[in-house]
Amino acid sequence: MTELPDRRLLLVHAHPDDESINNGATMARYAAEGAHVTLVTCTLGERGEVIPPELRHLSGAALGGHRLGELRDAMRALGVADVRLLGGAGRYCDSGMMGLSDNDDPGCFWQADVDQAAGLLAEVIGEVRPQVLVTYDDHGGYGHPDHIQAHRVAMRAVELAADSGWDIPKIYWNRVPRSVAEESFARLHQDLPGLPFDKAADVDDVPGVVPDEQVTTAIDGTAQAAAKAAAMRAHATQITVAEPYFVLSNLLAQPLFTTEYYELVRGERPETRENDLFAGVAVGEAS
Ligand SMILES: CC(=O)N[C@H]1[C@@H](O[C@@H]2[C@H](O)[C@H](O)[C@@H](O)[C@H](O)[C@H]2O)O[C@H](CO)[C@@H](O)[C@@H]1O
Ligand SMILES: [Zn+2]
């Protein structure tokens, strides 16, 4: 196995675009600092809506293939080279929004055997030996079945990897402090008349909003703002950016955060908010 850098970060996401929305600045920052950043995406987003009219002919596997290309472009913008599809491209397909009959598709991620999928992810953990893992909370941030399943598979993979002696010292869930969300939306409502968007989303449409005290970690990605915006723009079927805001296909404007927030759910909880995902980790030796 080629020698990997001392610091190794693994992120587990549901669809192409989630990684840039939630962690684009964090990924760009650690990649620029020489850490090894590995992204595992669990589906190709085959059931997504498509924003640009000229691409609306895309659906199913064709959309999935297109979104894989968007993902590669986005990762190029962030400087992230290690990008993997869980079980290989197309192994698990997009499950659609919660409650749709799409959720019953036997090939979709929501129907996956969690232990089997977690076994595939544990193999990546054994190869990369990350000290830090980032994924969603148990609600998947906003209740999408693929996000909930990504959480379940990631947390189960951590257990399976530990059974093989591959411990991950620090595990984080994506978060946004409520005060930051509320301040950002107050500013958005002031800016909305000058934006190319007609409506704003609500604070509670933002995945992972929690009381401020639940947030243990803030990663200042101000220096990576352009890279994050470029990565989000690469996901053109899903996202339209007008910095410092963006819309998804619902065309509801929301803040594009360049400071990205996390809750440490495994590891020694810091007494004050930390500013480094690797804080306290003995980097260098494999975990
Ligand atoms: C950010 C994210 O997880 N996007 C998912 C989501 O897409 C949303 C969905 O199409 C919804 O109906 C729209 O109103 C919303 O604007 C979209 O962001 O679900 C898709 C289908 O599972 C998925 O492909 C997309 O990546
Ligand atoms: Zn998603």
Side-chain angles (χ1 to χ4, degrees):
M1 182 182 80
T2 53
E3 199 63 31
L4 287 173
D6 283 351
R7 296 186 300 167
R8 300 179 297 280
L9 165 64
L10 171 63
L11 302 103
V12 182
H13 276 293
H15 313 107
D17 71 9
D18 295 310
E19 81 296 326
S20 296
I21 297 168
N22 288 278
N23 314 113
T26 301
M27 296 168 80
R29 175 171 158 179
Y30 282 113
E33 292 179 0
H36 185 85
V37 179
T38 300
L39 169 66
V40 174
T41 300
C42 299
T43 81
L44 289 176
E46 298 89 342
R47 289 190 160 98
E49 295 175 348
V50 175
I51 298 173
E54 68 275 16
L55 295 177
R56 285 192 190 144
H57 63 282
L58 293 172
S59 65
L63 176 57
H66 185 88
R67 290 184 69 178
L68 177 56
E70 291 183 335
L71 180 61
R72 296 205 189 287
D73 291 345
M75 293 306 96
R76 204 171 296 116
L78 299 182
V80 172
D82 191 0
V83 181
R84 314 190 188 199
L85 281 305
L86 186 64
R91 171 70 183 271
Y92 302 107
C93 77
D94 185 335
S95 306
M97 295 291 274
M98 187 61 85
L100 298 180
S101 58
D102 298 334
N103 304 166
D104 302 325
D105 177 344
C108 77
F109 191 43
W110 184 237
Q111 294 298 330
D113 176 280
V114 171
D115 266 11
Q116 185 178 59
L120 295 168
L121 182 57
E123 289 173 15
V124 177
I125 294 171
E127 178 197 332
V128 173
R129 311 290 284 278
Q131 296 99 345
V132 175
L133 182 146
V134 169
T135 192
Y136 315 107
D137 65 15
D138 54 356
H139 184 51
Y142 74 99
H144 190 293
D146 291 332
H147 287 231
I148 294 170
Q149 194 75 315
H151 162 87
R152 292 173 178 173
V153 167
M155 300 309 285
R156 179 61 179 141
V158 168
E159 295 173 347
L160 296 177
D163 292 346
S164 300
W166 306 322
D167 284 320
I168 302 180
K170 299 187 85 175
I171 297 171
Y172 291 92
W173 293 346
N174 295 306
R175 291 301 192 196
V176 179
R178 181 164 291 279
S179 68
V180 169
E182 289 174 348
E183 287 160 16
S184 302
F185 271 88
R187 205 161 35 245
L188 166 54
H189 282 289
Q190 290 177 342
D191 295 344
L192 193 58
L195 296 176
F197 309 130
D198 296 331
K199 292 183 182 177
D202 293 323
V203 167
D204 290 321
D205 291 330
V206 176
V209 174
V210 293
D212 289 18
E213 58 273 15
Q214 205 170 324
V215 176
T216 59
T217 311
I219 303 299
D220 180 353
T222 308
Q224 288 75 33
K228 175 166 182 172
M232 289 176 68
R233 285 194 173 96
H235 291 288
T237 59
Q238 305 300 306
I239 305 169
T240 303
V241 175
E243 288 176 84
Y245 306 107
F246 73 98
V247 297
L248 299 169
S249 61
N250 58 13
L251 303 183
L252 298 176
Q254 54 181 299
L256 190 165
F257 295 112
T258 53
T259 294
E260 295 166 341
Y261 299 90
Y262 303 87
E263 178 179 5
L264 182 66
V265 295
R266 171 187 281 198
E268 188 174 336
R269 204 172 177 90
E271 289 180 16
T272 58
R273 195 173 281 178
E274 62 184 4
N275 59 14
D276 178 7
L277 296 177
F278 290 91
V281 171
V283 296
E285 67 278 6
S287 56

